Amino acid sequence: MRQNLDPAKRGTVTRRTVLASLGLGLGLAGCAALAPETRGRAPGIRSPGPAAGPTLTPRPQPAAVPPPAAFRQPVPVLARVAVPPGTLSALPGEGSLLAWTVDDGSNSEVVARYIRFAADTGIRLTFFVTGSYGAWTDNAESLRSLVASGQIQLANHTWSHADLSALPDGEVTAELGRNHDFLTDTFGVDARPYFRPPYGRHNGRVDALAADLGYTAPTLWYGSLSDSGLIGEQQLLEFADAWFLPQHIVIGHLNFEPVTNVFPQLRAMLVNRGLTTVTLNDVFTSASHP
Ligand SMILES: [Zn+2]
């Protein structure tokens, strides 16, 4: 893996390199091949703003930084802020938080491994669930306690991974509504207000229809592991190197195994960078999660 963890260099050279490599095409396959979800940066997003945001309450520091193998992500104690209106693509303010979000779930074993990874490490994740994939029923039992504790948050990624911008109004509502009901019935949670439009495709009409259901926060991202299709482990680590940065919302996918083979390296990256993983509900208040 890349050893250069200097933040200044990471933010310039590496990011440009990654974006340039994306421009060459990556031979992606799968549900979102060559779609905006494969890009490092979501369309039409804003930069992480300087606005006041949640901050970590200082905790007593251990005498020495434990090695990654012994490190468990803390449960953050945050001053939460109201989720801002409009499209969400970064966490507000200054800090050391990372919202690691993962989507779809076309591979049941990958979903299972992510759940074990979270259970073993304390890492906090937001899953954008596409309920029509059998993985969500296959793994419901092992997921339920992590969801109940809030360590893994479930959010709405539509029932069948539809491009909402291409559907008539009634089908947009049905895609979000059916998935909402599935999440409530299966896990006993209210996924609102966060929905991620498949392929990042949404518009004012889609957002208004979603808001009518209480899904008022279209959630995109500020950096991608670019694994909606199959990529190699080394590539994946390079994307993580480029985007595992403070106050970023990063998107990954529950579709292909390579990411599960580099969990130790990804975890070490969090430790080395002093990043604390958070769910969206850890950071934001909303009507459903005051
Ligand atoms: Zn997706």
mmCIF file of all heavy atoms in Angstrom, residues 226-266:
data_model
loop_
_atom_site.group_PDB
_atom_site.id
_atom_site.type_symbol
_atom_site.label_atom_id
_atom_site.label_comp_id
_atom_site.label_asym_id
_atom_site.label_seq_id
_atom_site.Cartn_x
_atom_site.Cartn_y
_atom_site.Cartn_z
ATOM 1 N N SER A 226 -14.775 3.367 -5.272
ATOM 2 C CA SER A 226 -14.910 3.010 -6.694
ATOM 3 C C SER A 226 -15.049 1.513 -6.912
ATOM 4 O O SER A 226 -14.560 0.960 -7.897
ATOM 5 C CB SER A 226 -13.714 3.552 -7.489
ATOM 6 O OG SER A 226 -13.656 4.959 -7.366
ATOM 7 N N ASP A 227 -15.737 0.867 -5.974
ATOM 8 C CA ASP A 227 -15.873 -0.582 -6.070
ATOM 9 C C ASP A 227 -17.313 -1.024 -6.271
ATOM 10 O O ASP A 227 -17.700 -2.111 -5.835
ATOM 11 C CB ASP A 227 -15.259 -1.261 -4.838
ATOM 12 C CG ASP A 227 -15.964 -0.867 -3.540
ATOM 13 O OD1 ASP A 227 -16.718 0.131 -3.538
ATOM 14 O OD2 ASP A 227 -15.759 -1.555 -2.527
ATOM 15 N N SER A 228 -18.113 -0.194 -6.958
ATOM 16 C CA SER A 228 -19.446 -0.686 -7.342
ATOM 17 C C SER A 228 -19.284 -1.802 -8.367
ATOM 18 O O SER A 228 -20.091 -2.711 -8.450
ATOM 19 C CB SER A 228 -20.315 0.440 -7.907
ATOM 20 O OG SER A 228 -19.744 0.973 -9.074
ATOM 21 N N GLY A 229 -18.209 -1.717 -9.165
ATOM 22 C CA GLY A 229 -17.795 -2.809 -10.029
ATOM 23 C C GLY A 229 -16.543 -3.451 -9.439
ATOM 24 O O GLY A 229 -16.034 -3.026 -8.399
ATOM 25 N N LEU A 230 -16.050 -4.485 -10.105
ATOM 26 C CA LEU A 230 -14.899 -5.227 -9.591
ATOM 27 C C LEU A 230 -13.598 -4.495 -9.898
ATOM 28 O O LEU A 230 -13.270 -4.257 -11.061
ATOM 29 C CB LEU A 230 -14.873 -6.624 -10.215
ATOM 30 C CG LEU A 230 -13.732 -7.545 -9.767
ATOM 31 C CD1 LEU A 230 -13.792 -7.803 -8.270
ATOM 32 C CD2 LEU A 230 -13.792 -8.858 -10.538
ATOM 33 N N ILE A 231 -12.876 -4.125 -8.846
ATOM 34 C CA ILE A 231 -11.524 -3.574 -9.007
ATOM 35 C C ILE A 231 -10.590 -4.351 -8.084
ATOM 36 O O ILE A 231 -11.034 -5.097 -7.214
ATOM 37 C CB ILE A 231 -11.445 -2.055 -8.708
ATOM 38 C CG1 ILE A 231 -11.748 -1.767 -7.236
ATOM 39 C CG2 ILE A 231 -12.372 -1.275 -9.629
ATOM 40 C CD1 ILE A 231 -11.453 -0.328 -6.822
ATOM 41 N N GLY A 232 -9.286 -4.146 -8.274
ATOM 42 C CA GLY A 232 -8.304 -4.889 -7.494
ATOM 43 C C GLY A 232 -8.090 -4.292 -6.118
ATOM 44 O O GLY A 232 -8.459 -3.155 -5.839
ATOM 45 N N GLU A 233 -7.448 -5.096 -5.276
ATOM 46 C CA GLU A 233 -7.207 -4.658 -3.904
ATOM 47 C C GLU A 233 -6.286 -3.440 -3.848
ATOM 48 O O GLU A 233 -6.486 -2.522 -3.046
ATOM 49 C CB GLU A 233 -6.615 -5.811 -3.094
ATOM 50 C CG GLU A 233 -7.609 -6.949 -2.919
ATOM 51 C CD GLU A 233 -6.965 -8.226 -2.414
ATOM 52 O OE1 GLU A 233 -5.805 -8.184 -1.973
ATOM 53 O OE2 GLU A 233 -7.629 -9.277 -2.476
ATOM 54 N N GLN A 234 -5.259 -3.442 -4.691
ATOM 55 C CA GLN A 234 -4.334 -2.313 -4.671
ATOM 56 C C GLN A 234 -5.022 -1.021 -5.094
ATOM 57 O O GLN A 234 -4.838 0.034 -4.485
ATOM 58 C CB GLN A 234 -3.127 -2.605 -5.572
ATOM 59 C CG GLN A 234 -2.000 -1.584 -5.443
ATOM 60 C CD GLN A 234 -1.521 -1.412 -4.000
ATOM 61 O OE1 GLN A 234 -1.439 -2.389 -3.248
ATOM 62 N NE2 GLN A 234 -1.241 -0.174 -3.593
ATOM 63 N N GLN A 235 -5.840 -1.120 -6.129
ATOM 64 C CA GLN A 235 -6.596 0.060 -6.567
ATOM 65 C C GLN A 235 -7.487 0.552 -5.444
ATOM 66 O O GLN A 235 -7.591 1.759 -5.186
ATOM 67 C CB GLN A 235 -7.494 -0.311 -7.749
ATOM 68 C CG GLN A 235 -6.832 -0.213 -9.104
ATOM 69 C CD GLN A 235 -7.850 -0.547 -10.198
ATOM 70 O OE1 GLN A 235 -8.470 -1.612 -10.152
ATOM 71 N NE2 GLN A 235 -8.018 0.357 -11.125
ATOM 72 N N LEU A 236 -8.126 -0.382 -4.783
ATOM 73 C CA LEU A 236 -9.026 -0.012 -3.707
ATOM 74 C C LEU A 236 -8.300 0.751 -2.606
ATOM 75 O O LEU A 236 -8.784 1.762 -2.088
ATOM 76 C CB LEU A 236 -9.650 -1.291 -3.168
ATOM 77 C CG LEU A 236 -11.070 -1.115 -2.675
ATOM 78 C CD1 LEU A 236 -11.933 -2.258 -3.095
ATOM 79 C CD2 LEU A 236 -11.104 -0.911 -1.202
ATOM 80 N N LEU A 237 -7.112 0.279 -2.265
ATOM 81 C CA LEU A 237 -6.329 0.962 -1.235
ATOM 82 C C LEU A 237 -5.908 2.354 -1.696
ATOM 83 O O LEU A 237 -5.814 3.284 -0.888
ATOM 84 C CB LEU A 237 -5.106 0.123 -0.868
ATOM 85 C CG LEU A 237 -5.425 -1.143 -0.054
ATOM 86 C CD1 LEU A 237 -4.184 -2.013 0.091
ATOM 87 C CD2 LEU A 237 -5.975 -0.769 1.320
ATOM 88 N N GLU A 238 -5.643 2.501 -2.978
ATOM 89 C CA GLU A 238 -5.278 3.827 -3.484
ATOM 90 C C GLU A 238 -6.462 4.789 -3.395
ATOM 91 O O GLU A 238 -6.291 5.969 -3.060
ATOM 92 C CB GLU A 238 -4.760 3.710 -4.920
ATOM 93 C CG GLU A 238 -3.382 3.061 -4.968
ATOM 94 C CD GLU A 238 -2.906 2.753 -6.379
ATOM 95 O OE1 GLU A 238 -3.561 3.189 -7.343
ATOM 96 O OE2 GLU A 238 -1.882 2.054 -6.500
ATOM 97 N N PHE A 239 -7.654 4.296 -3.673
ATOM 98 C CA PHE A 239 -8.824 5.169 -3.535
ATOM 99 C C PHE A 239 -9.054 5.520 -2.069
ATOM 100 O O PHE A 239 -9.387 6.657 -1.736
ATOM 101 C CB PHE A 239 -10.065 4.505 -4.138
ATOM 102 C CG PHE A 239 -10.072 4.514 -5.642
ATOM 103 C CD1 PHE A 239 -10.044 3.339 -6.361
ATOM 104 C CD2 PHE A 239 -10.103 5.714 -6.344
ATOM 105 C CE1 PHE A 239 -10.045 3.339 -7.745
ATOM 106 C CE2 PHE A 239 -10.098 5.727 -7.728
ATOM 107 C CZ PHE A 239 -10.069 4.537 -8.438
ATOM 108 N N ALA A 240 -8.872 4.552 -1.209
ATOM 109 C CA ALA A 240 -9.024 4.840 0.226
ATOM 110 C C ALA A 240 -7.979 5.861 0.672
ATOM 111 O O ALA A 240 -8.278 6.786 1.431
ATOM 112 C CB ALA A 240 -8.904 3.554 1.033
ATOM 113 N N ASP A 241 -6.761 5.697 0.181
ATOM 114 C CA ASP A 241 -5.695 6.638 0.515
ATOM 115 C C ASP A 241 -6.074 8.055 0.089
ATOM 116 O O ASP A 241 -5.808 9.035 0.780
ATOM 117 C CB ASP A 241 -4.401 6.183 -0.180
ATOM 118 C CG ASP A 241 -3.226 7.076 0.135
ATOM 119 O OD1 ASP A 241 -3.098 7.492 1.306
ATOM 120 O OD2 ASP A 241 -2.453 7.380 -0.783
ATOM 121 N N ALA A 242 -6.744 8.148 -1.040
ATOM 122 C CA ALA A 242 -7.113 9.470 -1.560
ATOM 123 C C ALA A 242 -8.293 10.086 -0.816
ATOM 124 O O ALA A 242 -8.401 11.317 -0.727
ATOM 125 C CB ALA A 242 -7.457 9.350 -3.046
ATOM 126 N N TRP A 243 -9.178 9.235 -0.267
ATOM 127 C CA TRP A 243 -10.456 9.782 0.209
ATOM 128 C C TRP A 243 -10.754 9.568 1.677
ATOM 129 O O TRP A 243 -11.713 10.164 2.195
ATOM 130 C CB TRP A 243 -11.594 9.200 -0.635
ATOM 131 C CG TRP A 243 -11.518 9.621 -2.061
ATOM 132 C CD1 TRP A 243 -11.284 8.823 -3.140
ATOM 133 C CD2 TRP A 243 -11.669 10.944 -2.587
ATOM 134 N NE1 TRP A 243 -11.278 9.560 -4.294
ATOM 135 C CE2 TRP A 243 -11.516 10.869 -3.983
ATOM 136 C CE3 TRP A 243 -11.923 12.196 -2.000
ATOM 137 C CZ2 TRP A 243 -11.591 11.990 -4.807
ATOM 138 C CZ3 TRP A 243 -12.008 13.310 -2.819
ATOM 139 C CH2 TRP A 243 -11.841 13.194 -4.202
ATOM 140 N N PHE A 244 -10.036 8.727 2.365
ATOM 141 C CA PHE A 244 -10.268 8.593 3.812
ATOM 142 C C PHE A 244 -9.653 9.814 4.482
ATOM 143 O O PHE A 244 -8.502 9.802 4.931
ATOM 144 C CB PHE A 244 -9.636 7.309 4.358
ATOM 145 C CG PHE A 244 -10.520 6.085 4.266
ATOM 146 C CD1 PHE A 244 -11.666 6.074 3.488
ATOM 147 C CD2 PHE A 244 -10.210 4.938 4.988
ATOM 148 C CE1 PHE A 244 -12.472 4.947 3.405
ATOM 149 C CE2 PHE A 244 -11.015 3.801 4.922
ATOM 150 C CZ PHE A 244 -12.147 3.803 4.131
ATOM 151 N N LEU A 245 -10.432 10.866 4.536
ATOM 152 C CA LEU A 245 -9.970 12.155 5.024
ATOM 153 C C LEU A 245 -11.009 12.741 5.983
ATOM 154 O O LEU A 245 -12.188 12.371 5.922
ATOM 155 C CB LEU A 245 -9.776 13.119 3.835
ATOM 156 C CG LEU A 245 -8.686 12.734 2.822
ATOM 157 C CD1 LEU A 245 -8.750 13.660 1.609
ATOM 158 C CD2 LEU A 245 -7.310 12.784 3.469
ATOM 159 N N PRO A 246 -10.583 13.667 6.838
ATOM 160 C CA PRO A 246 -11.509 14.211 7.829
ATOM 161 C C PRO A 246 -12.753 14.838 7.199
ATOM 162 O O PRO A 246 -12.661 15.547 6.195
ATOM 163 C CB PRO A 246 -10.663 15.288 8.534
ATOM 164 C CG PRO A 246 -9.260 14.844 8.350
ATOM 165 C CD PRO A 246 -9.221 14.176 7.005
ATOM 166 N N GLN A 247 -13.874 14.564 7.817
ATOM 167 C CA GLN A 247 -15.181 15.157 7.484
ATOM 168 C C GLN A 247 -15.695 14.757 6.104
ATOM 169 O O GLN A 247 -16.597 15.389 5.565
ATOM 170 C CB GLN A 247 -15.138 16.696 7.621
ATOM 171 C CG GLN A 247 -14.612 17.199 8.966
ATOM 172 C CD GLN A 247 -15.355 16.623 10.156
ATOM 173 O OE1 GLN A 247 -14.875 15.713 10.839
ATOM 174 N NE2 GLN A 247 -16.552 17.117 10.432
ATOM 175 N N HIS A 248 -15.144 13.697 5.559
ATOM 176 C CA HIS A 248 -15.618 13.210 4.264
ATOM 177 C C HIS A 248 -16.726 12.171 4.442
ATOM 178 O O HIS A 248 -16.728 11.404 5.405
ATOM 179 C CB HIS A 248 -14.464 12.564 3.482
ATOM 180 C CG HIS A 248 -13.598 13.553 2.763
ATOM 181 N ND1 HIS A 248 -13.116 14.695 3.349
ATOM 182 C CD2 HIS A 248 -13.127 13.571 1.482
ATOM 183 C CE1 HIS A 248 -12.386 15.375 2.475
ATOM 184 N NE2 HIS A 248 -12.374 14.718 1.323
ATOM 185 N N ILE A 249 -17.649 12.181 3.505
ATOM 186 C CA ILE A 249 -18.569 11.059 3.333
ATOM 187 C C ILE A 249 -18.011 10.241 2.176
ATOM 188 O O ILE A 249 -17.900 10.741 1.056
ATOM 189 C CB ILE A 249 -20.003 11.530 3.013
ATOM 190 C CG1 ILE A 249 -20.598 12.330 4.182
ATOM 191 C CG2 ILE A 249 -20.896 10.330 2.679
ATOM 192 C CD1 ILE A 249 -21.969 12.952 3.879
ATOM 193 N N VAL A 250 -17.615 9.012 2.466
ATOM 194 C CA VAL A 250 -17.014 8.151 1.446
ATOM 195 C C VAL A 250 -17.982 7.022 1.112
ATOM 196 O O VAL A 250 -18.646 6.476 2.002
ATOM 197 C CB VAL A 250 -15.655 7.600 1.931
ATOM 198 C CG1 VAL A 250 -15.118 6.537 0.976
ATOM 199 C CG2 VAL A 250 -14.649 8.731 2.082
ATOM 200 N N ILE A 251 -18.065 6.693 -0.168
ATOM 201 C CA ILE A 251 -18.952 5.631 -0.626
ATOM 202 C C ILE A 251 -18.142 4.399 -1.024
ATOM 203 O O ILE A 251 -17.134 4.494 -1.725
ATOM 204 C CB ILE A 251 -19.818 6.124 -1.812
ATOM 205 C CG1 ILE A 251 -20.753 5.023 -2.339
ATOM 206 C CG2 ILE A 251 -18.956 6.635 -2.958
ATOM 207 C CD1 ILE A 251 -21.672 5.485 -3.484
ATOM 208 N N GLY A 252 -18.587 3.244 -0.525
ATOM 209 C CA GLY A 252 -18.081 1.956 -0.967
ATOM 210 C C GLY A 252 -19.267 1.065 -1.311
ATOM 211 O O GLY A 252 -20.416 1.518 -1.239
ATOM 212 N N HIS A 253 -18.991 -0.178 -1.659
ATOM 213 C CA HIS A 253 -20.080 -1.064 -2.092
ATOM 214 C C HIS A 253 -19.964 -2.459 -1.497
ATOM 215 O O HIS A 253 -18.868 -2.964 -1.267
ATOM 216 C CB HIS A 253 -20.125 -1.131 -3.615
ATOM 217 C CG HIS A 253 -20.557 0.157 -4.228
ATOM 218 N ND1 HIS A 253 -19.682 1.195 -4.442
ATOM 219 C CD2 HIS A 253 -21.774 0.601 -4.628
ATOM 220 C CE1 HIS A 253 -20.355 2.229 -4.952
ATOM 221 N NE2 HIS A 253 -21.610 1.898 -5.074
ATOM 222 N N LEU A 254 -21.131 -3.052 -1.308
ATOM 223 C CA LEU A 254 -21.242 -4.390 -0.735
ATOM 224 C C LEU A 254 -21.443 -5.404 -1.851
ATOM 225 O O LEU A 254 -22.328 -6.256 -1.778
ATOM 226 C CB LEU A 254 -22.430 -4.408 0.233
ATOM 227 C CG LEU A 254 -22.303 -3.460 1.433
ATOM 228 C CD1 LEU A 254 -23.669 -3.027 1.937
ATOM 229 C CD2 LEU A 254 -21.508 -4.104 2.550
ATOM 230 N N ASN A 255 -20.602 -5.316 -2.866
ATOM 231 C CA ASN A 255 -20.848 -6.094 -4.084
ATOM 232 C C ASN A 255 -19.738 -7.072 -4.436
ATOM 233 O O ASN A 255 -19.996 -8.116 -5.030
ATOM 234 C CB ASN A 255 -21.062 -5.161 -5.275
ATOM 235 C CG ASN A 255 -22.265 -4.241 -5.088
ATOM 236 O OD1 ASN A 255 -23.072 -4.447 -4.192
ATOM 237 N ND2 ASN A 255 -22.372 -3.233 -5.918
ATOM 238 N N PHE A 256 -18.486 -6.741 -4.134
ATOM 239 C CA PHE A 256 -17.351 -7.564 -4.583
ATOM 240 C C PHE A 256 -16.361 -7.752 -3.436
ATOM 241 O O PHE A 256 -16.206 -6.884 -2.581
ATOM 242 C CB PHE A 256 -16.661 -6.914 -5.787
ATOM 243 C CG PHE A 256 -17.536 -6.877 -7.009
ATOM 244 C CD1 PHE A 256 -18.275 -5.740 -7.321
ATOM 245 C CD2 PHE A 256 -17.656 -7.993 -7.831
ATOM 246 C CE1 PHE A 256 -19.104 -5.708 -8.434
ATOM 247 C CE2 PHE A 256 -18.478 -7.974 -8.944
ATOM 248 C CZ PHE A 256 -19.208 -6.827 -9.250
ATOM 249 N N GLU A 257 -15.667 -8.883 -3.473
ATOM 250 C CA GLU A 257 -14.854 -9.297 -2.335
ATOM 251 C C GLU A 257 -13.572 -8.504 -2.068
ATOM 252 O O GLU A 257 -13.120 -8.468 -0.918
ATOM 253 C CB GLU A 257 -14.472 -10.778 -2.480
ATOM 254 C CG GLU A 257 -15.613 -11.711 -2.173
ATOM 255 C CD GLU A 257 -15.175 -13.172 -2.125
ATOM 256 O OE1 GLU A 257 -13.960 -13.432 -2.041
ATOM 257 O OE2 GLU A 257 -16.052 -14.032 -2.181
ATOM 258 N N PRO A 258 -12.936 -7.889 -3.076
ATOM 259 C CA PRO A 258 -11.621 -7.292 -2.786
ATOM 260 C C PRO A 258 -11.585 -6.397 -1.552
ATOM 261 O O PRO A 258 -10.632 -6.470 -0.771
ATOM 262 C CB PRO A 258 -11.319 -6.520 -4.067
ATOM 263 C CG PRO A 258 -11.961 -7.345 -5.141
ATOM 264 C CD PRO A 258 -13.252 -7.841 -4.517
ATOM 265 N N VAL A 259 -12.595 -5.600 -1.330
ATOM 266 C CA VAL A 259 -12.557 -4.702 -0.170
ATOM 267 C C VAL A 259 -12.451 -5.493 1.132
ATOM 268 O O VAL A 259 -11.784 -5.069 2.082
ATOM 269 C CB VAL A 259 -13.782 -3.753 -0.152
ATOM 270 C CG1 VAL A 259 -15.086 -4.525 0.070
ATOM 271 C CG2 VAL A 259 -13.612 -2.675 0.901
ATOM 272 N N THR A 260 -13.059 -6.669 1.156
ATOM 273 C CA THR A 260 -13.043 -7.455 2.394
ATOM 274 C C THR A 260 -11.672 -8.065 2.662
ATOM 275 O O THR A 260 -11.387 -8.465 3.786
ATOM 276 C CB THR A 260 -14.110 -8.577 2.358
ATOM 277 O OG1 THR A 260 -13.726 -9.566 1.384
ATOM 278 C CG2 THR A 260 -15.477 -8.030 1.989
ATOM 279 N N ASN A 261 -10.838 -8.126 1.624
ATOM 280 C CA ASN A 261 -9.480 -8.655 1.796
ATOM 281 C C ASN A 261 -8.495 -7.599 2.272
ATOM 282 O O ASN A 261 -7.357 -7.936 2.622
ATOM 283 C CB ASN A 261 -8.984 -9.260 0.480
ATOM 284 C CG ASN A 261 -9.833 -10.444 0.052
ATOM 285 O OD1 ASN A 261 -10.362 -11.164 0.895
ATOM 286 N ND2 ASN A 261 -9.977 -10.631 -1.248
ATOM 287 N N VAL A 262 -8.901 -6.344 2.263
ATOM 288 C CA VAL A 262 -8.006 -5.274 2.729
ATOM 289 C C VAL A 262 -8.574 -4.554 3.955
ATOM 290 O O VAL A 262 -8.133 -3.458 4.295
ATOM 291 C CB VAL A 262 -7.682 -4.261 1.596
ATOM 292 C CG1 VAL A 262 -6.874 -4.940 0.503
ATOM 293 C CG2 VAL A 262 -8.944 -3.621 1.028
ATOM 294 N N PHE A 263 -9.527 -5.183 4.632
ATOM 295 C CA PHE A 263 -10.038 -4.568 5.862
ATOM 296 C C PHE A 263 -8.919 -4.206 6.841
ATOM 297 O O PHE A 263 -8.950 -3.115 7.424
ATOM 298 C CB PHE A 263 -11.055 -5.494 6.545
ATOM 299 C CG PHE A 263 -12.439 -5.463 5.949
ATOM 300 C CD1 PHE A 263 -13.274 -6.569 6.077
ATOM 301 C CD2 PHE A 263 -12.936 -4.343 5.291
ATOM 302 C CE1 PHE A 263 -14.568 -6.557 5.554
ATOM 303 C CE2 PHE A 263 -14.222 -4.325 4.754
ATOM 304 C CZ PHE A 263 -15.033 -5.440 4.887
ATOM 305 N N PRO A 264 -7.916 -5.086 7.069
ATOM 306 C CA PRO A 264 -6.868 -4.695 8.036
ATOM 307 C C PRO A 264 -6.129 -3.422 7.617
ATOM 308 O O PRO A 264 -5.824 -2.570 8.457
ATOM 309 C CB PRO A 264 -5.926 -5.906 8.044
ATOM 310 C CG PRO A 264 -6.790 -7.053 7.611
ATOM 311 C CD PRO A 264 -7.745 -6.472 6.604
ATOM 312 N N GLN A 265 -5.842 -3.304 6.325
ATOM 313 C CA GLN A 265 -5.153 -2.101 5.851
ATOM 314 C C GLN A 265 -6.038 -0.859 5.980
ATOM 315 O O GLN A 265 -5.562 0.229 6.321
ATOM 316 C CB GLN A 265 -4.717 -2.278 4.400
ATOM 317 C CG GLN A 265 -3.643 -3.343 4.193
ATOM 318 C CD GLN A 265 -4.230 -4.703 3.840
ATOM 319 O OE1 GLN A 265 -5.215 -5.139 4.408
ATOM 320 N NE2 GLN A 265 -3.601 -5.374 2.888
ATOM 321 N N LEU A 266 -7.323 -1.005 5.688
ATOM 322 C CA LEU A 266 -8.236 0.140 5.798
ATOM 323 C C LEU A 266 -8.361 0.581 7.258
ATOM 324 O O LEU A 266 -8.366 1.770 7.566
ATOM 325 C CB LEU A 266 -9.606 -0.217 5.224
ATOM 326 C CG LEU A 266 -9.629 -0.517 3.724
ATOM 327 C CD1 LEU A 266 -11.020 -0.967 3.284
ATOM 328 C CD2 LEU A 266 -9.199 0.704 2.905
#
